Amino acid sequence: MSIVNGKGIFDAARSGHYAVGAFNTNNLEWTRAILAAAQETNTPILIQTSMGAAKYMGGYELCLNLVQQTVKSMGITVPVIMHLDHGNYEAAKECIEVGYTSVMFDGHDLPFEENLEKTKEIVALAHAKNITVEAEVGSIGGEEDGIIGEGELADVEEAKKIAATGVDYLACGIGNIHGKYPANWKGLHFDRLKELAAEIATPLVLHGGSGIPKEQIQKAISLGVSKVNVNTECQLAFADATRKYIEAGKDLEGKGYDPRKLLAPGTQAITDIVKERIDWFGTPEVK
């Protein structure tokens, strides 16, 4: 299966009242773990790189090549979308040129009119190359690549204007945050989500999907969320499994220090998390 864009997959998710997971990769192990989960469940998957992860991994072209070649080497047969997560204007343009099949232009920290105009530009550039586009309105709380958002509720009228640019999916702040959720988090604002979904037919995106209770995620999906982003939970699962391996002294047994053995428990933990979230999201099998 070649890497595809997100248009048909997320339109079907919105109309079918389910979601497709978007999982961040950080290296080869992450990529293999996410793809393995998709193949085992026979479901479509979106793999995304943040700007920071792409810099760490060696650039957008390397990230794209890594995913493409891993899809080929693993014999992946389910649809895979290659996406830029929280890209600024320059990053979105670069990923369009490199060949990502989907990009997010995150202009929420710009004055609204500038966000709107730059979104229009990115949509035109991307759609000319059959690449899908995600935009954002309303800050998502928490931290993403050093940018800290307090979290806010997306303005419905602003969201309608961004959707009218022709974006293929739209991230809207509804009280969600990136990273770990604090104990005093008040939960998602479903009233605002209902307002947004009633006015916008575009598939909606829930960022900060790690740590939101299952029932809240599923309620959000029932109200129009079609893409759920997951990253922190995979990082925590990887770290926990790796810690247990070392604390159990497994790295001192034979060649347990071999990175292929050392990283295996964490890699499997990511696959397990991704499979569980695919189940939560109700993603149907590929026919």
Side-chain angles (χ1 to χ4, degrees):
M1 168 63 69
S2 60
I3 296 178
V4 301
N5 72 30
K7 179 62 177 172
I9 289 171
F10 287 103
D11 283 350
R14 177 71 193 262
S15 62
H17 304 289
Y18 60 85
V20 174
F23 301 91
N24 290 62
T25 186
N26 294 280
N27 57 28
L28 174 62
E29 281 72 30
W30 245 260
T31 302
R32 290 183 60 85
I34 295 166
L35 290 174
Q39 189 68 26
E40 289 175 28
T41 56
N42 193 35
T43 56
I45 202 85
L46 185 148
I47 293 183
Q48 54 191 17
T49 55
S50 67
M51 293 190 297
K55 182 179 179 180
Y56 165 77
M57 293 170 69
Y60 299 111
E61 187 172 9
L62 187 152
C63 292
L64 175 62
N65 288 338
L66 172 64
V67 173
Q68 288 174 325
Q69 294 304 315
T70 306
V71 165
K72 182 179 179 180
S73 69
M74 292 180 67
I76 301 300
T77 59
V78 297
V80 177
I81 302 160
M82 183 67 190
H83 182 73
L84 168 67
D85 185 31
H86 286 285
N88 60 24
Y89 182 70
E90 291 75 20
K93 289 199 298 183
E94 183 175 348
C95 286
I96 290 169
E97 289 301 314
V98 165
Y100 275 49
T101 58
S102 183
V103 297
M104 178 186 186
F105 166 58
D106 181 359
H108 82 269
D109 57 337
L110 301 173
F112 177 73
E113 290 302 323
E114 184 177 355
N115 183 11
L116 185 64
E117 289 306 310
K118 280 187 163 59
T119 299
K120 289 178 181 177
E121 292 179 36
I122 295 298
V123 168
L125 290 171
H127 284 184
K129 295 192 173 185
N130 198 31
I131 297 168
T132 42
V133 178
E134 177 182 344
E136 181 173 323
V137 60
S139 175
I140 309 300
E143 182 175 345
E144 186 75 17
D145 280 350
I147 300 173
I148 299 175
E150 295 298 326
E152 63 185 47
L153 301 185
D155 180 271
V156 176
E157 292 304 313
E158 289 185 352
K160 286 167 64 177
K161 290 179 181 178
I162 294 288
T165 64
V167 295
D168 302 283
Y169 12 93
L170 181 62
C172 304
I174 54 170
N176 43 319
I177 68 171
H178 291 117
K180 290 184 178 181
Y181 281 77
N184 63 351
W185 180 61
K186 297 180 180 179
L188 298 177
H189 291 258
F190 292 110
D191 288 344
R192 180 54 53 88
L193 177 55
K194 288 177 183 178
E195 294 178 64
L196 292 162
E199 296 289 341
I200 299 168
T202 306
L204 302 178
V205 182
L206 181 64
H207 282 250
S210 297
I212 299 176
K214 178 181 178 180
E215 61 273 15
Q216 289 198 35
I217 287 179
Q218 292 182 334
K219 183 174 181 178
I221 291 169
S222 74
L223 295 174
V225 165
S226 309
K227 174 177 179 277
V228 182
N229 285 26
V230 179
N231 183 25
T232 301
E233 282 176 333
C234 291
Q235 293 179 337
L236 292 171
F238 182 89
D240 184 58
T242 304
R243 181 184 304 108
K244 288 178 178 177
Y245 180 87
I246 293 175
E247 288 179 347
K250 298 293 185 181
D251 59 315
L252 303 177
E253 297 176 2
K255 291 189 175 181
Y257 54 81
D258 185 318
R260 289 168 290 183
K261 294 182 179 181
L262 178 64
L263 299 177
T267 303
Q268 183 60 50
I270 295 169
T271 295
D272 293 342
I273 285 287
V274 174
K275 287 169 65 177
E276 181 182 66
R277 293 303 175 268
I278 288 170
D279 179 64
W280 284 20
F281 304 158
T283 314
E285 291 190 33
V286 177
K287 296 180 179 178

